[in-house]
Amino acid sequence: MKYPLYPLTLFIACLFASPSGAKENLSSADSSVVLSPQQPDSIRKVKGIKKPFYWLGQYLKNTNKQSYKPFDWTILGGPFFNSTSGLGIAGGLTGLYSYDRKDSTLQRSDATAVFAIGVTGQMQVGFRGHNYMKHDKYRWDYQLFFYYLPSKFWGLGYHRALHDYNESLYRQIKLEFKPTFLFRVAKNFYVGPQLYMQLCRTYEFDDHSDTLLIGKHGLQNHNIQTYGGGVIIQYDSRDFAQNAYRGHFLKIEQMFYPKLLNKYYFNSTDITYTTYVRPYKSAILAFELHGLYNYASTRGEVPWTMLAKSGAGNRLRGYYEGRYMDNGIVETQIELRQHIRKRWGACVWIGGGNVFNSFKTFDANHFLPSYGVGARWEMKHRVNIRFDMGFTRNSPGFCFNIGEAF
């Protein structure tokens, strides 16, 4: 589960917030700067139980206005719910800043810190960010997340996930760290190294779960450490990475997890392509195609913790994350994002995917459909809070999150 920050409080608080009246510019990245008006003195005159709601409404009223602040930050918090984690409370801080505020063509960098605590015992703390250096000559990203998750497991492969009786419960503690540094080698074209570390310990597997963990060379370990590195080749002509209105994005990740560092040694190739167009003035049509394939030598093996999973990375929305898992996955989605009024919008999407063990065993009949609808509220300028309801081959799934799915 990635970045599970789902602040339902924002939607409730919007009822108390006056409309900003800010007109959304869908044509390009808006480099103009708008000063936020001062908070009225009447806030101090509000007493009793209404005061927190009034203050929150005034705070949210102008969160989507750009300002001259070196670090334009927003604090969020509230209940969350999704089909994977259940009910809980989450919060965090997200901010936008620029390494060269005089350069209107430079994308603003972002940093986010989040936490989540669920009624099922889930706990998560994490940091992530995207940084665009002066003249966009260099980019560096980072992800650092710690999870404690009660999870479900159906086994390795498509066929085991089809049957509800294979459902197994377990708990895991996981630490993930993923830094990336890119150099610009041509216009919109970047190349650079990436590192990855994952430490995973699991507890309280159901008795029958061992039969579900049988891999290429027998029963796999419950506790697995994975260390790797590789190279990224990236083409990016998007106007704004967090919520693109136009442009193309292509990323090829070639990662290596060598025997010297890992008990389970393997390689992986991950390819993502997205594009954005305007079919008419108030809408954006976004398309994504993604493929991930993990492969190993005769003596190597892909650990179950690193398999390609359904419902991960905001793809195949609505599926329980990891219900369908195998060496490879191919998935796609197309989404229409419609501006409704002021800070509100909506979307519809349709897509699907397929998990497979190898290219020889790929079966189109194993197709996993995904489609749904969603609502959007502009938290900050071109940074949305989203609520999505996805329909799948199994049961529907719900989620709140910050930022578009892709």
Side-chain angles (χ1 to χ4, degrees):
M1 179 178 58
K2 303 293 184 184
Y3 323 137
L5 179 60
Y6 317 111
L8 178 59
T9 300
L10 288 177
F11 290 94
I12 300 173
C14 291
L15 300 176
F16 300 89
S18 301
S20 67
K23 190 173 183 180
E24 189 176 37
N25 180 6
L26 292 176
S27 62
S28 63
D30 187 357
S31 60
S32 63
V33 180
V34 180
L35 287 174
S36 299
Q38 297 294 323
Q39 299 293 340
D41 293 337
S42 58
I43 294 179
R44 293 191 292 268
K45 299 178 182 179
V46 181
K47 297 181 181 180
I49 193 170
K50 294 182 179 180
K51 186 173 181 179
F53 291 100
Y54 189 84
W55 180 90
L56 185 58
Q58 291 295 319
Y59 172 71
L60 293 173
K61 175 182 177 179
N62 298 301
T63 55
N64 71 327
K65 302 288 185 63
Q66 295 193 85
S67 73
Y68 287 111
K69 297 176 183 178
F71 187 80
D72 186 11
W73 57 272
T74 300
I75 297 176
L76 304 170
F80 74 81
F81 173 82
N82 74 359
S83 57
T84 301
S85 304
L87 181 66
I89 186 169
L93 181 149
T94 184
L96 301 175
Y97 53 95
S98 177
Y99 280 92
D100 187 358
R101 297 167 67 194
K102 296 179 181 179
D103 183 359
S104 61
T105 65
L106 181 66
Q107 290 196 53
R108 301 190 77 185
S109 302
D110 66 88
T112 301
V114 300
F115 78 90
I117 301 174
V119 296
T120 60
Q122 169 206 356
M123 182 179 71
Q124 174 183 323
V125 178
F127 305 90
R128 61 182 171 91
H130 305 87
N131 295 271
Y132 305 90
M133 310 305 290
K134 284 188 176 182
H135 310 297
D136 206 10
K137 290 184 177 180
Y138 309 100
R139 297 180 174 186
W140 58 279
D141 303 341
Y142 57 88
Q143 298 178 21
L144 176 62
F145 280 84
F146 171 81
Y147 308 86
Y148 174 73
L149 298 173
S151 300
K152 297 179 181 180
F153 182 69
W154 283 263
L156 311 182
Y158 170 85
H159 293 287
R160 287 174 174 171
L162 286 177
H163 307 294
D164 291 336
Y165 58 74
N166 281 332
E167 181 180 311
S168 176
L169 301 177
Y170 73 100
R171 296 178 181 270
Q172 66 172 315
I173 295 177
K174 183 167 65 175
L175 176 68
E176 284 186 314
F177 180 51
K178 187 178 182 180
T180 304
F181 193 87
L182 299 176
F183 305 83
R184 190 178 69 192
V185 296
K187 183 179 179 181
N188 299 327
F189 190 72
Y190 302 84
V191 176
Q194 177 173 271
L195 300 177
Y196 184 79
M197 177 186 73
Q198 183 190 93
L199 309 178
C200 184
R201 296 188 62 86
T202 62
Y203 306 89
E204 301 177 12
F205 261 103
D206 286 354
D207 293 338
H208 74 289
S209 62
D210 283 351
T211 61
L212 305 177
L213 280 173
I214 296 177
K216 180 179 177 181
H217 298 300
L219 183 65
Q220 290 197 7
N221 289 353
H222 287 183
N223 305 321
I224 295 176
Q225 301 177 8
T226 304
Y227 304 93
V231 63
I232 291 182
I233 301 172
Q234 179 176 294
Y235 176 85
D236 189 0
S237 64
R238 296 172 297 177
D239 58 329
F240 184 51
Q242 292 196 58
N243 184 7
Y245 293 163
R246 55 181 171 81
H248 304 271
F249 177 75
L250 173 66
K251 182 170 69 172
I252 302 174
E253 297 184 17
Q254 181 59 55
M255 297 293 292
F256 306 93
Y257 304 92
K259 182 178 181 180
L260 180 65
L261 301 175
N262 302 279
K263 177 178 180 180
Y264 300 97
Y265 49 97
F266 66 103
N267 304 318
S268 71
T269 302
D270 194 332
I271 301 176
T272 303
Y273 171 72
T274 58
T275 186
Y276 307 86
V277 296
R278 289 182 59 192
Y280 49 92
K281 185 177 180 180
S282 61
I284 301 297
L285 188 64
F287 170 79
E288 180 185 54
L289 177 64
H290 172 254
L292 169 62
Y293 186 55
N294 300 293
Y295 49 96
S297 64
T298 303
R299 295 186 178 182
E301 184 173 5
V302 182
W304 68 274
T305 54
M306 294 293 292
L307 292 174
K309 301 176 178 66
S310 63
N314 295 318
R315 303 179 180 104
L316 289 179
R317 280 172 279 175
Y319 283 93
Y320 190 98
E321 183 176 346
R323 172 156 187 165
Y324 297 87
M325 60 167 59
D326 215 321
N327 288 336
I329 189 170
V330 175
E331 49 198 338
T332 187
Q333 54 186 331
I334 185 168
E335 180 171 283
L336 180 65
R337 300 167 184 170
Q338 175 66 55
H339 177 238
I340 303 297
R341 185 174 183 270
K342 299 186 186 301
R343 298 167 72 173
W344 288 96
C347 80
V348 294
W349 82 87
I350 186 171
N354 194 309
V355 297
F356 56 94
N357 184 262
S358 68
F359 291 111
K360 293 181 179 180
T361 61
F362 185 92
D363 189 342
N365 293 323
H366 296 171
F367 182 74
L368 302 173
S370 170
Y371 58 94
V373 296
R376 301 291 184 268
W377 184 77
E378 189 180 51
M379 172 190 68
K380 301 193 72 64
H381 181 66
R382 294 187 65 174
V383 178
N384 293 331
I385 296 292
R386 63 183 174 92
F387 166 77
D388 289 333
M389 179 172 65
F391 299 91
T392 70
R393 168 170 286 185
N394 307 113
S395 57
F398 304 87
C399 74
F400 293 94
N401 216 324
I402 294 179
E404 297 296 341
F406 64 98

